[in-house]
Amino acid sequence: MNKQIFFMVGLIGALAFTGCRKDFEEINSNPNEPTAVSPGFLLTSAQKATMDRVYDSFWGSRRAMQTAQYWSSNQYSNESRYQYRDDTANSAWASFYAGPLQDLQTIIDLNSGDNAADYSGYGDNVNQIAVCQLLQAWTFQHLSDAFGAIPMSEALAGVSNTTPGYDSQEAVYNGLLDLIDGALSGMNVSGAGPQGDQIYGGDMAQWAKFGNSLKLRVAMRMADVNPGAAQAAAEAALSSGSIIAGNEDNALFSYLSGAPNNNPINEDAKTRNDFAASNTMVDYLASLNDPRMGVYFSPSVASGEYVGETYGLSEENAALTPDDAVSQRGAGILAGNLAGIYFDAAQTHFLAAEAAERGWASILSAEEHYNAAIGLNMNYWGIDDQAAIDAYLAQESVAYSTADGAWNEKIGRQKWVALYMQGYEGWAEYRRLDFGLLQACADGALQGDGSVPARFEYPIDEQTLNNANWSAASAGNSWNDKMWWDVN
Amino acid sequence: MLRFVFQEVNPELSFFLDRLHVDLTYYTSTTEDLIFNVPVSATSGYTSTVLNAGKTENKGIELSLSGTPVQTENFRWDIGLNLAKNKNQLVELADGVENIRYTSLFGVTLEARPGEPLGTFYGYDFLYDDDGNKLVDADGYYLSTDEVVAIGNILADMTGGVYTDLQYKNLSFSALVDFQKGGSVHSYSNQWGKYSGTLAETAENDIREEGIVVEGMVAEMNDDGEYVSTGVANTSNISAQSHFFYNQGYIIHAADQYDASFIKLREMRLDYNLPASMTSGLPFSNISIGVYGRNLAILHKNVPHIDPEVATSSSNIQGFEGGQLPAERTIGFNLKFNL
């Protein structure tokens, strides 16, 4: 009996003391769903997510690689005739803004808030901020060159502004220069770089080169519309002594051979083959005896020759061409470890060549930079035989002194060849440098006036979710309305 | 916190020695502070936020009639009808929220916008002239709106059913027919079936060999940038493949938006109770045998190839049909007895 009473008292006591716990919040927090994340993970994720989208089969392959006429369609050819799927713009737009751009903003906010010191273990606060600003600038330029005006100054403010206004493309470009300058002046090159950096492993000296090179690209793109500001920014970058000059400096995202960290093109090609070499690209490379042909494409199985598929075929006509009859993408292009390119040395030299042609203070002559750019690009694609490169450069159709056309055409054509696998850059430089080469769709364009689109239409999502700002920005935004920077 | 106000007027009447019952309900209800996961422009850095947003109003009538027209010693016939009509409207959303998107699929969105019922589809529609003819461009393709417009709503205008029950001595028979009038469904089975050429109509009338001239009036753009009919009927022939791509729901979403009305024979059953005299020697009592069938037939519908009812669900996200499994028809046999 006594034992039982003792037990009852004990039980009541136990219940009474556990009834109101002070650690209520703690036991109701799920340790498997953390609400905070280390900046290093965010940075890795942002770098990968950006490249995953750029090389994605819809945003990258169907839209950019075809619009720049590097590839043609085997089937579902509508994008190659400028009929772009609405969903692609929706998902790319959402994934850039609510993905990497927001992740980078979170890192910036963590490192500039009241608790910034808590995060200095992941790299100097200023360096984490600088790297994120440079990557944001890269992505905003990517988006603006596709759409024109975009939300930038009011974007990424979370619930405090769910309908950000659009900045004009001019405001975006001025903002890009500010963002890059802020990063370059804010970073501490001798300090610790950010953890989780898959591009340069936290080497801030390399990030300074990236910043100056990106600044050069941004400046050059606005050279025709705002030459004063463009020249000042470009000369500052070229004279900085810190620029992506050799392939060892390239800003690359290294994919691995196997899923899930392989290049999205490789993953897509495992289950389908919607693309082939375009005749625009193949015919031009063939006319120059370009040694990159064998890297970019594989010979046609049927003939053993390099044969491009006609660009811009209707679905019916594209379906009539057997895969074996045309050149497919090269084995290295379809490999899992094909790198994602943020910036490469060939671009720097093409930009420097252009600066020299514009009479700006560059580093070497236009011709020297032009030759360096081509050589570096050959090296990048694994062509190291200097004699072969020299022979290529000596051809009348390639040599800077004898190639056809004005400087914008000479540089533009070779730059287009070198920008293979950077579809958006190839398309942007086509619009800006007006070097020709790209042809009308064989079976006619399905949107616009038949010329290569000057921009993409905004995602439908913005019509419904950000209507007032979308409508203000989209007035005068149709396929053939030129970019702000495209005045020639 | 979700708040709910409900008002009801409910006269219930019986006539003729309880042989006829009428039950009429008129109600209005207002629901406020709905809890929504509200999609926002991704340019904010996030794709959605959770809000107490808005106020909806439901007004409706429910009518139920039931009666026993015939009742004798051996025979009884019961019949009943019920009808429900509900009008839903989203009165307002939270400040600064113009609309709530439930979902989006292949360019078609399902949204809640003030002034419209909950669950309205938005997408590109055909362009029409004042007489209701579709407008066609100079190449023979249908023209579509520049911006997305409302192209349908998931909610039915009216639902209801009729049941009947006949009993003659130990034999009983019952049947139930129900219906829905209105409501809308977006059918991806039809859309992709036409796109990929797997549906019968993509091969009928020699359309693959001869192409098609679609019905509509040729339009040209006026000085205001609007398409207006030239008054000339379209004569341009386009290929079947082009037709089933450009003129269908992937490009012009309204093309695969269908009326979800239906009339269905939902259930029939026939039962026979064995008379006590036949079972007196057995260890069982109250033995009945019967056959029944459910989902027996769709008597009427306005959408080809699919059952419009399968796209409904209890969540906000409904009205999209794609590769559905048809509802099962069940036919069974019953044997009941008491020990």
Side-chain angles (χ1 to χ4, degrees), chain A residues 55-406:
Chain A
Y55 289 91
D56 151 271
S57 67
F58 285 91
W59 179 249
S61 301
R62 281 183 205 288
R63 287 203 174 206
M65 290 303 287
Q66 296 201 112
T67 304
Q69 295 192 17
Y70 294 128
W71 295 346
S72 293
S73 285
N74 288 332
Q75 53 183 345
Y76 306 118
S77 66
N78 297 295
E79 269 93 356
S80 71
R81 300 169 71 200
Y82 315 140
Q83 174 125 37
Y84 303 99
R85 286 163 229 236
D86 298 326
D87 272 5
T88 306
N90 277 341
S91 52
W93 181 272
S95 69
F96 279 124
Y97 275 105
L101 284 171
Q102 177 58 36
D103 287 345
L104 296 166
Q105 189 61 44
T106 303
I107 302 174
I108 292 170
D109 293 344
L110 291 175
N111 281 283
S112 49
D114 294 340
N115 301 322
D118 294 349
Y119 297 95
S120 57
Y122 299 100
D124 286 7
N125 292 137
V126 290
N127 287 340
Q128 291 189 61
I129 293 169
V131 167
C132 291
Q133 287 171 329
L134 292 176
L135 289 169
Q136 282 189 333
W138 190 98
T139 305
F140 279 128
Q141 188 190 18
H142 180 82
L143 283 167
S144 181
D145 290 349
F147 294 107
I150 54 166
M152 182 163 134
S153 58
E154 295 181 14
L156 310 177
V159 286
S160 66
N161 186 359
T162 55
T163 53
Y166 286 56
D167 295 295
S168 69
Q169 194 169 37
E170 180 176 11
V172 168
Y173 264 75
N174 292 333
L176 292 176
L177 289 179
D178 288 346
L179 200 53
I180 294 167
D181 281 340
L184 286 170
S185 61
M187 69 171 63
N188 173 12
V189 175
S190 56
Q195 284 184 10
D197 171 17
Q198 301 299 308
I199 298 174
Y200 287 132
D203 183 339
M204 291 310 295
Q206 294 294 78
W207 279 108
K209 293 178 187 174
F210 177 82
N212 282 308
S213 304
L214 185 60
K215 182 174 169 178
L216 178 61
R217 176 159 105 188
V218 168
M220 197 60 75
R221 203 146 289 161
M222 56 196 268
D224 291 333
V225 65
N226 188 352
Q231 181 176 356
E235 288 182 346
L238 287 163
S239 65
S240 66
S242 167
I243 201 155
I244 296 175
N247 283 327
E248 65 282 4
D249 297 334
N250 290 347
L252 303 176
F253 185 84
S254 302
Y255 283 103
L256 306 178
S257 297
N261 291 314
N262 50 340
N263 190 301
I265 293 171
N266 169 257
E267 193 60 26
D268 182 60
K270 286 177 182 174
T271 52
R272 55 194 310 147
N273 181 28
D274 292 338
F275 310 102
S278 82
N279 65 335
T280 316
M281 185 68 166
V282 168
D283 293 351
Y284 189 62
L285 293 176
S287 75
L288 304 179
N289 305 306
D290 200 304
R292 285 167 288 194
M293 179 85 92
V295 181
Y296 288 180
F297 304 115
S298 60
S300 139
V301 172
S303 65
E305 306 286 319
Y306 288 97
V307 182
E309 173 149 21
T310 305
Y311 184 80
L313 293 175
S314 65
E315 296 232 5
E316 296 96 311
N317 289 332
L320 293 176
T321 315
D323 286 0
D324 282 356
V326 290
S327 287
Q328 302 296 324
R329 296 166 288 176
I333 301 301
L334 297 176
N337 63 358
L338 177 77
I341 305 170
Y342 278 95
F343 210 101
D344 63 325
Q347 279 186 75
T348 312
H349 286 278
F350 279 120
L351 292 165
E354 192 178 333
E357 284 291 359
R358 288 177 184 273
W360 303 350
S362 192
I363 301 170
L364 304 169
S365 71
E367 181 172 0
E368 287 166 315
H369 279 302
Y370 172 88
N371 289 341
I374 295 169
L376 284 165
N377 189 251
M378 298 259 192
N379 297 159
Y380 177 78
W381 291 111
I383 298 153
D384 292 319
D385 178 355
Q386 194 55 44
I389 296 171
D390 290 343
Y392 177 80
L393 290 170
Q395 297 179 103
E396 195 183 326
S397 53
V398 176
Y400 198 68
S401 56
T402 54
D404 282 344

Side-chain angles (χ1 to χ4, degrees), chain B residues 14-72:
Chain B
S14 296
F15 305 96
F16 309 122
L17 303 169
D18 274 3
R19 293 272 288 273
L20 176 65
H21 297 270
V22 180
D23 184 353
L24 183 71
T25 305
Y26 171 78
Y27 62 87
T28 62
S29 75
T30 307
T31 312
E32 291 182 50
D33 296 337
L34 310 164
I35 301 165
F36 273 116
N37 204 18
V38 184
V40 294
S41 170
T43 57
S44 67
Y46 297 87
T47 53
S48 69
T49 177
V50 179
L51 282 185
N52 275 125
K55 176 172 163 181
T56 58
E57 219 173 59
N58 283 291
K59 283 182 202 169
I61 285 183
E62 288 174 2
L63 171 68
S64 158
L65 282 171
S66 62
T68 311
V70 181
Q71 187 170 19
T72 66

Side-chain angles (χ1 to χ4, degrees), chain B residues 270-297:
Chain B
L270 184 65
D271 288 295
Y272 181 67
N273 287 307
L274 270 60
S277 59
M278 288 175 67
T279 59
S280 56
L282 297 172
F284 316 116
S285 60
N286 289 337
I287 301 175
S288 81
I289 54 174
V291 290
Y292 66 91
R294 295 202 184 99
N295 284 323
L296 288 167

Side-chain angles (χ1 to χ4, degrees), chain A residues 78 85 316 461-462 464, chain B residues 41 43 99 101 241 246 250:
Chain A
N78 297 295
R85 286 163 229 236
E316 296 96 311
D461 278 0
E462 283 290 290
T464 50
Chain B
S41 170
T43 57
N99 66 327
R101 168 176 313 165
Q241 191 171 15
Y246 298 106
Y250 187 47

